Amino acid sequence: LTSTMAAVKSNEEKISEAAMEINKHHIQIEGWLLKKSRVLKKWRKRWIVLAGNTIYTYKNQKEYTSEPTETIDISSILTIKKHEGNDKNKNNKINTNINHQYSFEIELETKLIFVFAADSITYRDEWIKELNKLINLNRECLITKDSLGKNGKILSFGCKHFRRNCSYLCSCCNKWYFCSYCHDSVESGFINGGHELERKSIIAIKCCYCGKEQKPSNKCINNKCNKSMSNYYCSICKFWDNDPNHKLFHCNKCGVCRSGKKSDYIHCDKCGVCLDKTFYKSHKCMEQSTKCDCPICGDYLHMSDKPVTFWTHCGHAIHVKCMEEFLVYDTLCPICREPWVP
């Protein structure tokens, strides 16, 4: 693509708006597919490009100076459906005169339907996999801009849990998510062998700006992009946070990243957790006190990014927010029933 665009510039040809968009993004997948015309229902060979969050269709291979015949916004896709067994072509070759065994359709929110066909089941499934990946990430993605409207400058990407400019690939399920909460909400549980995300399972990231897939880091390796993934990045925990209001630090003894300013905390070796200095002197030690679930919400406290506190007498750990909500109805420890003393 770089050499193609360079040749275009040297010949002083006019670059289409679509070509400028494609040039800004990493091409996820491109190649020849057949596309069925919506009116005449005839199959036509088209060069299809998936870049950024858009599908582009062209008459000729890599001819980006011309306007695409169609553009499809990924965010407008409602469903993708395979067509099974439409044709008995044993040579796995595209035949433009018949319906195709290796076809699939894309239905938009407007009920408009596009039908494509590949020359093999493997190539068709590769396209469907890449499309589904972007569709799922788009549904989770929240974009922060400096102003409303199309021309607003993007400040950061992310999901409803965290701000970060990348999503990541989890080897445990071979799926892409923005964070562990997004992953666990879908993958955890007892049904179908559910599992929770372990940080070591994060094997790749995808830049939200250009779409380049790469090894986990805090800077895009695409020379045209070079965007940072977040303000805070921990290579040990593989954790990104782009919220400027969050203060985070990594504790080697805890083995995880903690919320707050490092100078405000002291690690208690017996409790196995970092404690606020104002609470440290008066707290009651309990061995490995946070290596348990919160008695209210059930989240594992040692790995939690939410503030944790301890019941004053017994020392049982609990989320600060969970405790505040619980104290409205009950003042006894939910584990051992010791009274809360402010």
Side-chain angles (χ1 to χ4, degrees):
L1 181 59
T2 304
S3 59
T4 302
M5 300 308 296
V8 169
K9 290 182 180 179
S10 64
N11 294 328
E12 296 183 348
E13 296 181 46
K14 183 180 178 181
I15 301 175
S16 69
E17 184 178 343
M20 294 174 68
E21 285 298 312
I22 291 172
N23 195 39
K24 285 194 301 185
H25 295 94
H26 173 73
I27 292 179
Q28 202 69 37
I29 186 173
E30 63 179 336
W32 289 111
L33 291 175
L34 285 182
K35 177 180 173 295
K36 183 182 279 189
S37 62
R38 298 197 302 274
V39 178
L40 300 177
K41 306 300 180 184
K42 290 185 177 181
W43 291 99
R44 294 189 172 93
K45 195 175 181 181
R46 292 288 184 261
W47 182 259
I48 314 296
V49 182
L50 177 59
N53 288 313
T54 307
I55 303 169
Y56 303 89
T57 70
Y58 291 92
K59 291 182 178 180
N60 300 308
Q61 180 176 346
K62 294 183 180 290
E63 195 175 82
Y64 302 121
T65 54
S66 60
E67 291 293 333
T69 58
E70 299 273 7
T71 59
I72 304 172
D73 187 349
I74 292 294
S75 63
S76 68
I77 295 177
L78 189 63
T79 58
I80 297 177
K81 184 172 70 176
K82 294 180 184 180
H83 294 163
E84 303 289 357
N86 290 338
D87 143 290
K88 304 298 181 182
N89 188 343
K90 295 181 180 179
N91 297 320
N92 291 341
K93 297 292 185 180
I94 289 182
N95 185 332
T96 57
N97 297 318
I98 58 175
N99 288 329
H100 299 287
Q101 181 179 7
Y102 310 122
S103 61
F104 63 96
E105 69 178 48
I106 297 174
E107 183 180 357
L108 306 187
E109 293 173 344
T110 58
K111 301 304 179 183
L112 193 64
I113 295 176
F114 294 89
V115 182
F116 298 92
D119 60 359
S120 71
I121 191 170
T122 302
Y123 192 45
R124 178 196 64 184
D125 290 350
E126 185 180 352
W127 269 95
I128 292 175
K129 177 184 174 183
E130 294 298 330
L131 288 167
N132 278 327
K133 178 200 304 181
L134 288 180
I135 290 169
N136 291 333
L137 289 175
N138 265 275
R139 287 171 180 168
E140 294 176 3
C141 184
L142 298 175
I143 301 175
T144 304
K145 293 185 176 182
D146 61 357
S147 61
L148 297 175
K150 186 177 180 180
N151 297 323
K153 181 183 177 182
I154 294 177
L155 299 177
S156 68
F157 296 86
C159 59
K160 63 182 180 181
H161 306 108
F162 295 104
R163 312 307 304 152
R164 55 184 54 155
N165 298 328
C166 64
S167 55
Y168 49 63
L169 175 62
C170 311
S171 63
C172 48
C173 51
N174 200 33
K175 294 180 183 178
W176 291 82
Y177 289 99
F178 272 101
C179 76
S180 59
Y181 290 113
C182 292
H183 172 279
D184 292 350
S185 67
V186 176
E187 306 294 340
S188 66
F190 296 104
I191 300 173
N192 298 323
H195 63 277
E196 294 184 348
L197 179 67
E198 295 183 18
R199 294 288 171 179
K200 64 182 180 181
S201 299
I202 299 171
I203 57 174
I205 63 171
K206 179 181 177 65
C207 176
C208 291
Y209 282 100
C210 71
K212 177 70 174 177
E213 294 177 16
Q214 53 204 281
K215 292 181 180 179
S217 69
N218 199 34
K219 190 174 184 180
C220 182
I221 62 173
N222 183 355
N223 292 331
K224 296 178 183 177
C225 180
N226 284 324
K227 297 286 188 181
S228 293
M229 301 303 169
S230 61
N231 291 322
Y232 176 86
Y233 169 62
C234 177
S235 59
I236 300 172
C237 295
K238 294 181 182 176
F239 182 78
W240 296 260
D241 191 353
N242 206 33
D243 190 332
N245 297 317
H246 284 180
K247 301 296 181 183
L248 299 160
F249 67 95
H250 180 84
C251 175
N252 290 324
K253 290 184 177 181
C254 287
V256 296
C257 291
R258 294 299 187 195
S259 179
K261 293 174 66 176
K262 188 173 183 178
S263 58
D264 292 339
Y265 287 83
I266 298 176
H267 182 87
C268 177
D269 292 325
K270 186 175 181 180
C271 292
V273 67
C274 289
L275 301 171
D276 190 292
K277 285 181 177 179
T278 57
F279 178 72
Y280 180 79
K281 290 181 180 180
S282 61
H283 86 283
K284 181 178 180 179
C285 280
M286 182 178 286
E287 194 168 353
Q288 305 299 317
S289 59
T290 61
K291 292 190 176 180
C292 61
D293 295 337
C294 174
I296 304 302
C297 69
D299 287 349
Y300 187 56
L301 291 168
H302 190 71
M303 301 296 291
S304 178
D305 63 306
K306 302 171 186 175
V308 175
T309 189
F310 303 86
W311 216 261
T312 49
H313 274 204
C314 57
H316 285 122
I318 184 173
H319 282 128
V320 171
K321 186 176 180 181
C322 292
M323 182 195 70
E324 290 172 347
E325 293 176 354
F326 181 76
L327 285 175
V328 174
Y329 304 99
D330 197 344
T331 58
L332 300 179
C333 173
I335 298 174
C336 67
R337 308 308 288 166
E338 278 286 328
W340 169 262
V341 180

